[in-house]
Coordinates of all heavy atoms in Angstrom, one line a residue:
M153 N 17.8 -73.3 -43.0 CA 19.2 -73.5 -42.6 C 19.7 -74.9 -42.7 O 18.9 -75.7 -42.8 CB 19.1 -73.2 -41.0 CG 18.7 -71.7 -40.7 SD 19.0 -71.5 -38.9 CE 18.0 -70.2 -38.6
Y154 N 21.0 -74.9 -42.9 CA 21.7 -76.3 -42.9 C 21.2 -77.2 -44.0 O 21.2 -78.3 -44.0 CB 21.6 -76.9 -41.6 CG 22.1 -76.2 -40.4 CD1 21.1 -75.8 -39.3 CD2 23.4 -75.8 -40.3 CE1 21.6 -74.9 -38.3 CE2 23.8 -74.9 -39.2 CZ 23.0 -74.6 -38.2 OH 23.4 -73.8 -37.2
G155 N 20.8 -76.5 -45.1 CA 20.4 -77.3 -46.3 C 19.0 -78.0 -46.2 O 18.6 -78.9 -47.1
R156 N 18.3 -77.8 -45.1 CA 17.0 -78.5 -44.9 C 16.0 -77.6 -45.7 O 16.0 -76.5 -46.1 CB 16.6 -78.4 -43.5 CG 17.5 -79.1 -42.6 CD 16.9 -79.2 -41.2 NE 16.8 -77.9 -40.6 CZ 17.4 -77.3 -39.5 NH1 18.2 -78.1 -38.8 NH2 17.3 -76.1 -39.1
S157 N 15.0 -78.6 -46.1 CA 13.9 -77.9 -46.9 C 12.7 -77.3 -46.1 O 11.8 -76.6 -46.5 CB 13.3 -79.0 -47.8 OG 12.7 -80.0 -47.2
Q158 N 12.8 -77.5 -44.7 CA 11.7 -77.1 -43.8 C 12.5 -76.3 -42.8 O 13.7 -76.5 -42.5 CB 11.0 -78.1 -43.2 CG 10.2 -78.9 -44.2 CD 9.2 -80.0 -43.7 OE1 9.5 -80.3 -42.5 NE2 8.2 -80.3 -44.5
G159 N 11.8 -75.4 -42.0 CA 12.3 -74.7 -40.9 C 12.6 -73.2 -41.4 O 12.3 -72.8 -42.4
D160 N 13.3 -72.5 -40.4 CA 13.6 -71.2 -40.7 C 14.6 -71.0 -41.8 O 15.4 -71.8 -42.1 CB 14.3 -70.6 -39.5 CG 13.2 -70.4 -38.3 OD1 11.9 -70.5 -38.6 OD2 13.6 -70.5 -37.1
F161 N 14.4 -69.8 -42.6 CA 15.4 -69.6 -43.6 C 16.7 -69.0 -42.8 O 16.5 -68.3 -41.7 CB 14.9 -68.4 -44.4 CG 14.0 -68.9 -45.5 CD1 12.6 -68.5 -45.4 CD2 14.4 -69.5 -46.6 CE1 11.8 -68.9 -46.3 CE2 13.5 -70.0 -47.6 CZ 12.1 -69.6 -47.5
S162 N 17.8 -69.2 -43.3 CA 19.0 -68.5 -42.8 C 19.0 -67.1 -43.2 O 18.3 -66.8 -44.1 CB 20.2 -69.2 -43.5 OG 21.4 -68.4 -43.3
E163 N 19.6 -66.2 -42.3 CA 19.8 -65.0 -42.6 C 20.6 -64.6 -44.0 O 20.5 -63.6 -44.6 CB 20.5 -64.1 -41.5 CG 19.5 -64.0 -40.3 CD 18.3 -63.2 -40.5 OE1 18.4 -62.1 -40.9 OE2 17.2 -63.8 -40.3
H164 N 21.3 -65.7 -44.3 CA 21.9 -65.6 -45.6 C 21.0 -65.5 -46.8 O 21.3 -64.8 -47.8 CB 23.0 -66.8 -45.9 CG 24.1 -66.9 -44.9 ND1 25.1 -65.9 -45.1 CD2 24.5 -67.7 -44.0 CE1 26.0 -66.1 -44.1 NE2 25.7 -67.2 -43.3
A165 N 19.9 -66.0 -46.7 CA 18.9 -65.9 -47.8 C 18.6 -64.6 -48.2 O 18.1 -64.3 -49.2 CB 17.5 -66.8 -47.3
T166 N 18.6 -63.7 -47.2 CA 18.4 -62.2 -47.4 C 19.6 -61.4 -47.4 O 19.5 -60.1 -47.3 CB 17.3 -61.7 -46.6 OG1 17.6 -62.0 -45.1 CG2 16.0 -62.4 -46.9
A167 N 20.8 -62.0 -47.4 CA 22.1 -61.3 -47.5 C 22.2 -60.4 -46.2 O 22.7 -59.4 -46.4 CB 22.3 -60.5 -48.8
D168 N 21.6 -60.8 -45.1 CA 21.7 -60.1 -43.9 C 22.8 -60.8 -43.0 O 22.7 -60.5 -41.7 CB 20.4 -60.0 -43.2 CG 19.5 -59.0 -43.9 OD1 20.1 -58.1 -44.4 OD2 18.4 -59.4 -44.1
A169 N 23.6 -61.6 -43.4 CA 24.6 -62.4 -42.6 C 25.8 -62.5 -43.3 O 25.9 -62.4 -44.6 CB 24.1 -63.7 -42.3
I170 N 27.0 -62.6 -42.7 CA 28.2 -62.8 -43.2 C 29.0 -63.9 -42.5 O 28.7 -64.1 -41.2 CB 29.1 -61.6 -43.0 CG1 30.4 -61.6 -43.9 CG2 29.3 -61.0 -41.7 CD1 31.1 -60.5 -44.1
D171 N 29.7 -64.7 -43.1 CA 30.5 -65.8 -42.6 C 31.9 -65.4 -42.7 O 32.3 -64.9 -43.8 CB 30.3 -67.1 -43.3 CG 28.9 -67.8 -43.0 OD1 28.2 -67.4 -42.1 OD2 28.6 -68.7 -43.8
I172 N 32.7 -65.6 -41.7 CA 34.2 -65.2 -41.7 C 35.1 -66.5 -41.4 O 34.9 -67.1 -40.3 CB 34.6 -64.1 -40.8 CG1 33.7 -62.9 -41.2 CG2 36.1 -63.9 -40.8 CD1 33.8 -61.7 -40.1
A173 N 35.9 -66.9 -42.5 CA 36.6 -68.1 -42.2 C 38.0 -67.8 -41.7 O 38.6 -68.8 -41.1 CB 36.8 -69.0 -43.7
G174 N 38.5 -66.6 -41.8 CA 39.8 -66.4 -41.3 C 40.2 -65.0 -41.5 O 39.4 -64.1 -42.0
F175 N 41.4 -64.6 -41.1 CA 42.0 -63.4 -41.3 C 43.3 -63.3 -41.9 O 44.1 -64.2 -41.5 CB 42.1 -62.6 -39.9 CG 40.7 -62.5 -39.2 CD1 40.1 -63.6 -38.5 CD2 39.8 -61.3 -39.3 CE1 38.9 -63.5 -37.8 CE2 38.7 -61.3 -38.8 CZ 38.2 -62.5 -38.0
T176 N 43.8 -62.3 -42.6 CA 45.2 -62.0 -42.9 C 45.6 -60.8 -42.4 O 45.0 -59.8 -42.4 CB 45.2 -61.9 -44.7 OG1 44.6 -63.2 -45.1 CG2 46.7 -61.8 -44.9
L177 N 46.6 -60.9 -41.5 CA 47.1 -59.7 -40.7 C 48.0 -58.9 -41.6 O 48.4 -59.3 -42.8 CB 47.9 -60.2 -39.5 CG 47.1 -61.2 -38.5 CD1 48.0 -61.4 -37.3 CD2 45.7 -60.6 -38.2
A178 N 48.3 -57.6 -41.2 CA 49.1 -56.8 -42.0 C 50.4 -57.2 -42.4 O 51.0 -57.0 -43.4 CB 49.2 -55.5 -41.2
D179 N 51.0 -58.2 -41.6 CA 52.3 -58.8 -41.8 C 52.2 -60.0 -42.7 O 53.2 -60.6 -43.0 CB 53.0 -59.0 -40.4 CG 52.3 -60.2 -39.8 OD1 51.3 -60.7 -40.2 OD2 53.0 -60.5 -38.7
G180 N 51.0 -60.3 -43.2 CA 50.8 -61.5 -44.1 C 50.3 -62.7 -43.4 O 50.1 -63.7 -44.0
Q181 N 50.5 -62.8 -42.1 CA 50.1 -64.1 -41.3 C 48.6 -64.3 -41.5 O 47.8 -63.4 -41.4 CB 50.4 -63.8 -39.8 CG 50.0 -65.2 -39.1 CD 50.1 -65.0 -37.6 OE1 50.4 -63.8 -37.1 NE2 49.7 -65.9 -36.8
R182 N 48.4 -65.5 -41.7 CA 47.0 -66.0 -41.8 C 46.6 -66.7 -40.6 O 47.3 -67.6 -40.1 CB 46.8 -66.8 -43.1 CG 47.1 -66.2 -44.4 CD 47.0 -67.1 -45.6 NE 47.3 -66.4 -46.9 CZ 46.2 -65.9 -47.6 NH1 44.9 -66.0 -47.2 NH2 46.5 -65.1 -48.7
I183 N 45.3 -66.4 -40.2 CA 44.7 -67.1 -39.0 C 43.4 -67.6 -39.5 O 42.5 -66.9 -40.0 CB 44.5 -66.2 -37.8 CG1 45.9 -65.6 -37.4 CG2 43.9 -66.9 -36.6 CD1 45.8 -64.5 -36.3
S184 N 43.2 -68.9 -39.3 CA 41.9 -69.5 -39.8 C 41.2 -70.0 -38.6 O 41.7 -70.5 -37.7 CB 42.3 -70.6 -40.9 OG 42.6 -71.8 -40.2
V185 N 39.9 -70.0 -38.7 CA 39.0 -70.5 -37.8 C 39.2 -72.0 -37.6 O 39.2 -72.6 -36.6 CB 37.5 -70.1 -37.9 CG1 36.6 -70.8 -36.8 CG2 37.3 -68.6 -38.0
L186 N 39.2 -72.6 -38.7 CA 39.3 -74.2 -38.7 C 40.6 -74.7 -38.1 O 40.7 -75.5 -37.3 CB 39.2 -74.7 -40.2 CG 39.4 -76.2 -40.3 CD1 38.1 -76.9 -39.5 CD2 39.3 -76.5 -41.8
G187 N 41.7 -73.8 -38.4 CA 43.0 -74.4 -38.0 C 43.5 -73.8 -36.7 O 44.3 -74.6 -36.0
D188 N 43.1 -72.6 -36.3 CA 43.7 -71.9 -35.1 C 42.7 -71.9 -34.0 O 43.2 -71.5 -32.9 CB 44.2 -70.6 -35.7 CG 45.3 -70.7 -36.6 OD1 46.2 -71.4 -36.4 OD2 45.2 -70.1 -37.6
W189 N 41.4 -72.2 -34.2 CA 40.5 -72.1 -33.1 C 40.9 -73.1 -31.9 O 40.9 -72.7 -30.7 CB 39.0 -72.3 -33.6 CG 38.1 -72.3 -32.4 CD1 37.7 -73.3 -31.8 CD2 37.4 -71.1 -31.9 NE1 36.7 -72.9 -30.8 CE2 36.6 -71.5 -30.9 CE3 37.6 -69.6 -32.3 CZ2 35.8 -70.6 -30.1 CZ3 36.6 -68.8 -31.7 CH2 35.8 -69.2 -30.6
P190 N 41.1 -74.3 -32.3 CA 41.4 -75.3 -31.1 C 42.8 -74.8 -30.4 O 43.7 -74.2 -31.1 CB 41.7 -76.6 -31.8 CG 41.0 -76.5 -33.3 CD 41.2 -74.9 -33.6
G191 N 42.8 -75.2 -29.1 CA 44.1 -74.9 -28.5 C 44.0 -73.6 -27.6 O 43.0 -72.9 -27.5
E192 N 45.2 -73.3 -27.2 CA 45.3 -72.1 -26.3 C 46.3 -71.0 -26.7 O 46.6 -70.1 -26.1 CB 45.8 -72.6 -24.8 CG 45.0 -73.7 -24.3 CD 43.6 -73.2 -23.8 OE1 43.4 -72.0 -23.3 OE2 42.5 -74.0 -23.9
G193 N 46.7 -71.2 -27.8 CA 47.8 -70.4 -28.4 C 47.4 -69.0 -28.8 O 46.1 -68.7 -28.7
K194 N 48.2 -68.1 -29.2 CA 47.9 -66.7 -29.3 C 47.0 -66.6 -30.4 O 46.0 -65.6 -30.4 CB 49.1 -65.8 -29.6 CG 49.8 -66.1 -30.8 CD 51.0 -65.1 -31.0 CE 52.0 -65.4 -32.1 NZ 51.2 -65.5 -33.3
D195 N 47.0 -67.4 -31.5 CA 46.0 -67.2 -32.6 C 44.5 -67.6 -32.1 O 43.5 -67.1 -32.5 CB 46.4 -68.2 -33.7 CG 47.7 -67.7 -34.3 OD1 48.1 -66.5 -34.0 OD2 48.3 -68.5 -35.1
A196 N 44.4 -68.7 -31.2 CA 43.3 -69.0 -30.6 C 42.6 -67.9 -29.8 O 41.5 -67.7 -29.8 CB 43.4 -70.4 -29.8
V197 N 43.5 -67.3 -29.0 CA 43.3 -66.2 -28.1 C 42.6 -65.1 -28.9 O 41.5 -64.5 -28.7 CB 44.3 -65.7 -27.3 CG1 44.0 -64.4 -26.5 CG2 44.7 -66.7 -26.2
F198 N 43.3 -64.8 -30.2 CA 42.8 -63.6 -31.0 C 41.4 -64.0 -31.5 O 40.5 -63.1 -31.6 CB 43.9 -63.6 -32.2 CG 43.3 -62.8 -33.4 CD1 43.5 -61.4 -33.3 CD2 42.8 -63.4 -34.5 CE1 42.8 -60.6 -34.4 CE2 42.4 -62.6 -35.5 CZ 42.3 -61.3 -35.4
L199 N 41.3 -65.3 -31.9 CA 39.9 -65.6 -32.5 C 38.8 -65.5 -31.5 O 37.7 -65.1 -31.7 CB 40.0 -67.0 -33.2 CG 40.8 -67.2 -34.3 CD1 41.0 -68.7 -34.7 CD2 40.2 -66.4 -35.6
R200 N 39.1 -65.7 -30.3 CA 38.1 -65.8 -29.2 C 37.8 -64.3 -28.9 O 36.7 -63.9 -28.6 CB 38.5 -66.5 -27.9 CG 38.2 -68.0 -28.1 CD 38.9 -68.8 -27.1 NE 38.6 -70.3 -27.3 CZ 39.1 -71.0 -28.3 NH1 40.0 -70.6 -29.2 NH2 38.8 -72.3 -28.3
A201 N 38.8 -63.5 -28.9 CA 38.6 -62.0 -28.8 C 37.7 -61.4 -29.8 O 36.8 -60.6 -29.7 CB 40.0 -61.3 -28.6
V202 N 38.0 -61.9 -31.1 CA 37.1 -61.4 -32.2 C 35.7 -61.9 -32.0 O 34.7 -61.0 -32.2 CB 37.7 -61.9 -33.7 CG1 36.7 -61.7 -34.7 CG2 39.0 -61.3 -33.9
R203 N 35.6 -63.2 -31.6 CA 34.1 -63.7 -31.4 C 33.5 -62.8 -30.4 O 32.3 -62.5 -30.5 CB 34.3 -65.1 -31.2 CG 32.9 -65.9 -31.0 CD 32.2 -65.9 -29.7 NE 33.0 -66.2 -28.7 CZ 33.2 -67.5 -28.1 NH1 32.7 -68.5 -28.7 NH2 33.9 -67.7 -27.2
D204 N 34.2 -62.7 -29.3 CA 33.4 -62.0 -28.1 C 33.2 -60.6 -28.4 O 32.2 -60.0 -28.0 CB 34.5 -62.1 -26.9 CG 34.5 -63.6 -26.4 OD1 33.7 -64.5 -26.8 OD2 35.4 -63.9 -25.4
G205 N 34.2 -59.9 -29.1 CA 34.0 -58.6 -29.5 C 32.8 -58.3 -30.5 O 32.1 -57.4 -30.5
A206 N 32.6 -59.3 -31.4 CA 31.5 -59.3 -32.4 C 30.2 -59.4 -31.7 O 29.2 -58.8 -32.2 CB 31.6 -60.5 -33.4
C207 N 30.1 -60.0 -30.5 CA 28.9 -60.0 -29.7 C 28.3 -58.7 -29.4 O 27.2 -58.6 -29.1 CB 29.1 -60.9 -28.6 SG 29.4 -62.7 -29.0
D208 N 29.2 -57.7 -29.3 CA 28.7 -56.4 -29.0 C 28.1 -55.6 -30.3 O 27.6 -54.5 -30.0 CB 29.9 -55.4 -28.5 CG 30.5 -55.9 -27.2 OD1 29.7 -56.5 -26.4 OD2 31.7 -55.6 -26.9
L209 N 28.4 -56.2 -31.5 CA 28.0 -55.6 -32.6 C 26.8 -56.2 -33.4 O 26.0 -55.6 -34.1 CB 29.1 -55.4 -33.6 CG 30.3 -54.6 -33.1 CD1 31.5 -54.8 -34.0 CD2 30.0 -53.2 -32.9
F210 N 26.8 -57.6 -33.2 CA 25.8 -58.5 -34.0 C 24.8 -59.1 -32.9 O 25.3 -59.5 -31.8 CB 26.6 -59.6 -34.8 CG 27.4 -58.9 -35.8 CD1 28.7 -58.5 -35.7 CD2 26.9 -58.7 -37.2 CE1 29.4 -57.8 -36.7 CE2 27.6 -58.0 -38.1 CZ 28.9 -57.7 -38.0
S211 N 23.7 -59.3 -33.4 CA 22.7 -60.0 -32.5 C 23.0 -61.5 -32.4 O 22.7 -62.2 -31.5 CB 21.2 -59.7 -33.0 OG 21.0 -60.2 -34.4
T212 N 23.6 -62.0 -33.6 CA 23.8 -63.4 -33.6 C 25.3 -63.6 -34.0 O 25.7 -63.2 -34.9 CB 22.9 -64.1 -34.7 OG1 21.5 -63.9 -34.4 CG2 23.3 -65.6 -34.6
V213 N 26.0 -64.3 -33.2 CA 27.4 -64.6 -33.4 C 27.6 -66.0 -33.2 O 27.4 -66.7 -31.9 CB 28.4 -63.7 -32.4 CG1 29.9 -64.2 -32.7 CG2 28.3 -62.2 -32.8
L214 N 27.9 -66.9 -34.1 CA 28.1 -68.3 -33.9 C 29.6 -68.8 -34.3 O 30.0 -68.3 -35.3 CB 27.1 -69.0 -34.8 CG 25.6 -68.8 -34.5 CD1 24.7 -69.6 -35.5 CD2 25.3 -69.0 -33.0
S215 N 30.1 -69.5 -33.5 CA 31.5 -69.9 -33.6 C 31.7 -71.5 -33.6 O 30.6 -72.1 -33.2 CB 32.4 -69.3 -32.6 OG 32.2 -69.8 -31.3
P216 N 33.0 -71.9 -33.6 CA 33.0 -73.4 -33.5 C 32.3 -73.9 -32.0 O 32.0 -75.1 -31.9 CB 34.5 -73.7 -33.5 CG 34.9 -72.6 -34.4 CD 34.1 -71.5 -34.0
D217 N 32.3 -72.9 -31.1 CA 31.8 -73.4 -29.7 C 30.2 -73.6 -29.9 O 29.7 -74.3 -29.0 CB 31.8 -72.2 -28.7 CG 33.2 -72.2 -28.0 OD1 34.0 -73.2 -28.3 OD2 33.5 -71.2 -27.4
Y218 N 29.6 -73.2 -31.0 CA 28.2 -73.3 -31.2 C 27.8 -74.8 -31.6 O 27.1 -75.5 -31.0 CB 27.5 -72.3 -32.1 CG 26.2 -72.4 -32.3 CD1 25.2 -72.2 -31.2 CD2 25.5 -72.8 -33.5 CE1 23.9 -72.3 -31.4 CE2 24.2 -72.9 -33.7 CZ 23.3 -72.6 -32.5 OH 22.0 -72.7 -32.8
N219 N 28.3 -75.1 -32.9 CA 28.1 -76.6 -33.3 C 29.0 -77.0 -34.5 O 29.9 -76.1 -34.7 CB 26.6 -76.8 -33.7 CG 26.4 -75.9 -35.0 OD1 27.2 -75.3 -35.6 ND2 25.0 -75.8 -35.3
A220 N 29.0 -78.1 -34.8 CA 30.1 -78.5 -35.7 C 29.9 -77.9 -37.1 O 30.9 -77.8 -37.9 CB 29.9 -80.2 -36.0
A221 N 28.7 -77.4 -37.5 CA 28.5 -76.7 -38.7 C 29.3 -75.5 -38.8 O 29.6 -74.9 -39.9 CB 27.0 -76.5 -39.0
H222 N 29.6 -75.0 -37.6 CA 30.5 -73.6 -37.5 C 31.9 -73.9 -37.2 O 32.5 -73.0 -36.6 CB 29.7 -72.6 -36.6 CG 28.4 -72.4 -37.2 ND1 27.3 -72.9 -36.9 CD2 28.0 -71.1 -38.0 CE1 26.2 -72.3 -37.6 NE2 26.6 -71.2 -38.1
R223 N 32.5 -75.0 -37.3 CA 33.8 -75.5 -37.0 C 34.8 -74.7 -37.7 O 36.0 -74.5 -37.2 CB 34.0 -77.0 -37.1 CG 34.2 -77.4 -38.5 CD 34.2 -78.9 -38.6 NE 34.3 -79.2 -40.0 CZ 33.2 -79.2 -40.8 NH1 31.9 -78.8 -40.4 NH2 33.4 -79.7 -42.1
D224 N 34.5 -74.1 -38.9 CA 35.5 -73.5 -39.8 C 35.1 -72.0 -40.2 O 35.7 -71.4 -41.0 CB 35.5 -74.3 -41.0 CG 34.3 -74.3 -42.0 OD1 33.3 -73.9 -41.4 OD2 34.4 -74.9 -43.0
H225 N 34.1 -71.4 -39.5 CA 33.8 -70.0 -39.7 C 33.1 -69.4 -38.5 O 32.4 -70.2 -37.7 CB 33.0 -69.9 -41.0 CG 31.6 -70.4 -40.9 ND1 31.3 -71.7 -41.1 CD2 30.5 -69.8 -40.7 CE1 30.0 -71.9 -41.0 NE2 29.4 -70.6 -40.8
F226 N 33.1 -68.1 -38.4 CA 32.1 -67.3 -37.6 C 30.9 -66.9 -38.5 O 31.1 -66.5 -39.7 CB 32.8 -66.0 -37.2 CG 34.0 -66.2 -36.2 CD1 35.0 -65.2 -36.2 CD2 34.0 -67.3 -35.2 CE1 36.0 -65.5 -35.3 CE2 35.2 -67.4 -34.5 CZ 36.2 -66.5 -34.6
H227 N 29.8 -67.1 -38.0 CA 28.6 -66.5 -38.6 C 28.1 -65.3 -37.8 O 27.9 -65.4 -36.5 CB 27.4 -67.6 -38.5 CG 26.2 -67.1 -38.9 ND1 25.7 -67.3 -40.3 CD2 25.1 -66.4 -38.3 CE1 24.5 -66.7 -40.3 NE2 24.1 -66.1 -39.2
L228 N 28.0 -64.2 -38.5 CA 27.5 -62.9 -37.8 C 26.3 -62.4 -38.5 O 26.2 -62.4 -39.7 CB 28.5 -61.9 -38.0 CG 29.9 -62.3 -37.6 CD1 31.0 -61.1 -38.0 CD2 30.1 -62.7 -36.1
D229 N 25.2 -62.1 -37.8 CA 24.1 -61.4 -38.5 C 23.4 -60.5 -37.5 O 23.7 -60.5 -36.3 CB 23.1 -62.5 -39.0 CG 22.2 -63.4 -38.1 OD1 21.6 -62.6 -37.2 OD2 22.3 -64.5 -38.1
Q230 N 22.5 -59.8 -38.0 CA 21.7 -58.7 -37.3 C 20.2 -59.1 -37.3 O 19.4 -58.1 -37.3 CB 21.9 -57.4 -37.9 CG 23.2 -56.8 -37.7 CD 23.6 -56.3 -36.3 OE1 23.0 -56.8 -35.4 NE2 24.4 -55.4 -36.1
A231 N 19.9 -60.4 -37.2 CA 18.5 -60.8 -37.3 C 17.7 -60.1 -36.2 O 18.1 -60.2 -35.1 CB 18.5 -62.2 -37.2
E232 N 16.5 -59.7 -36.5 CA 15.6 -59.3 -35.5 C 15.1 -60.6 -35.0 O 14.5 -61.5 -35.6 CB 14.4 -58.6 -36.1 CG 14.8 -57.3 -36.8 CD 15.0 -56.3 -35.7 OE1 14.5 -56.3 -34.5 OE2 15.7 -55.1 -36.0
R233 N 15.2 -60.8 -33.6 CA 14.8 -62.1 -32.9 C 13.4 -61.8 -32.2 O 13.2 -62.6 -31.2 CB 15.9 -62.6 -32.1 CG 17.1 -62.9 -32.8 CD 17.0 -63.9 -33.7 NE 18.4 -64.2 -34.4 CZ 18.6 -65.1 -35.3 NH1 17.7 -65.8 -35.9 NH2 19.8 -65.2 -35.8
G234 N 12.6 -60.9 -32.6 CA 11.4 -60.7 -32.0 C 11.5 -59.9 -30.7 O 12.5 -59.4 -30.3
K235 N 10.4 -59.9 -30.0 CA 10.2 -59.1 -28.8 C 11.1 -59.6 -27.6 O 11.3 -58.9 -26.6 CB 8.7 -59.0 -28.3 CG 7.9 -58.3 -29.3 CD 6.5 -58.1 -28.8 CE 5.6 -57.3 -29.8 NZ 4.8 -58.0 -30.6
T236 N 11.6 -60.8 -27.8 CA 12.3 -61.4 -26.6 C 13.7 -60.8 -26.5 O 14.3 -60.9 -25.5 CB 12.4 -63.0 -26.8 OG1 13.1 -63.1 -28.0 CG2 11.1 -63.6 -26.9
G237 N 14.1 -60.0 -27.6 CA 15.5 -59.7 -27.6 C 16.6 -60.8 -27.5 O 17.6 -60.5 -27.1
W238 N 16.1 -61.9 -28.0 CA 17.1 -63.2 -28.0 C 18.3 -62.7 -28.8 O 18.3 -62.2 -29.9 CB 16.3 -64.4 -28.6 CG 17.1 -65.6 -28.5 CD1 17.1 -66.4 -27.5 CD2 18.0 -66.1 -29.6 NE1 18.1 -67.5 -27.9 CE2 18.5 -67.2 -29.1 CE3 18.4 -65.6 -30.8 CZ2 19.4 -68.0 -29.7 CZ3 19.3 -66.4 -31.6 CH2 19.8 -67.6 -31.1
R239 N 19.4 -63.1 -28.2 CA 20.7 -62.9 -28.8 C 21.5 -64.2 -28.6 O 21.2 -65.0 -27.8 CB 21.4 -61.8 -28.3 CG 20.8 -60.4 -28.3 CD 21.5 -59.4 -27.6 NE 22.9 -59.1 -28.1 CZ 23.1 -58.2 -28.9 NH1 22.3 -57.5 -29.4 NH2 24.4 -58.0 -29.4
A240 N 22.3 -64.4 -29.5 CA 23.3 -65.7 -29.5 C 24.7 -65.1 -29.6 O 25.1 -64.4 -30.4 CB 23.0 -66.6 -30.6
C241 N 25.5 -65.6 -28.7 CA 26.9 -65.4 -28.6 C 27.6 -66.6 -28.1 O 27.9 -66.8 -27.0 CB 27.3 -64.2 -27.6 SG 28.9 -63.8 -27.5
R242 N 27.9 -67.4 -29.1 CA 28.6 -68.8 -28.8 C 29.5 -69.1 -29.7 O 29.2 -69.2 -31.0 CB 27.5 -69.9 -28.6 CG 26.6 -69.8 -27.4 CD 25.7 -71.0 -27.3 NE 26.4 -72.2 -27.3 CZ 25.9 -73.5 -27.3 NH1 24.6 -73.5 -27.5 NH2 26.5 -74.4 -27.3
Ligands
LIG250 ZN1 26.5 -68.0 -41.8

C-alpha cells in the first residue's frame, strides 16, 4: 500500500478494489471528491451520502475523512478482513 515495499498489498493488487474520483450527473454536472468534498454545499452532501451508502455494500470505504492519501477519491473494496469482521467506513 501507498507505494511502500513492505507491509500489506493493496486490494488493487488483485483488482478487488475500485477508486472513484468523481461523478458526472445526467445533466452533465461534474462533482469531484477533490473539489467538492470540503464544505457544506449540496455537492458535499451528495458525496457524503455516496460514501455512507457505499458502506452498506463494501467492507472497506475510505474517503477524504480517512487520510490525506484519499483526499481526491473514494476507495471501495470487498477485502476479507478475517474473523474479526473488521470493516472500515471513514
Ligand atoms: Zn484505492
Side-chain angles (χ1 to χ4, degrees):
M153 291 188 205
Y154 303 117
R156 295 183 303 238
S157 59
Q158 297 185 337
D160 292 338
F161 284 107
S162 167
E163 289 298 302
H164 289 294
T166 51
D168 289 323
I170 185 168
D171 289 342
I172 298 175
F175 300 87
T176 302
L177 306 186
D179 67 0
Q181 182 193 352
R182 292 175 181 269
I183 298 176
S184 77
V185 175
L186 181 64
D188 296 309
W189 181 268
E192 306 288 329
K194 65 177 175 51
D195 294 345
V197 170
F198 168 80
L199 289 170
R200 280 164 179 75
V202 170
R203 190 272 312 271
D204 293 348
C207 294
D208 293 336
L209 301 171
F210 294 88
S211 60
T212 306
V213 177
L214 304 177
S215 73
D217 281 350
Y218 183 65
N219 65 13
H222 295 85
R223 72 190 177 285
D224 62 354
H225 69 280
F226 295 150
H227 171 98
L228 313 174
D229 75 52
Q230 291 285 28
E232 295 282 344
R233 301 295 181 186
K235 296 185 175 102
T236 61
W238 183 88
R239 298 171 66 91
C241 178
R242 288 184 58 191

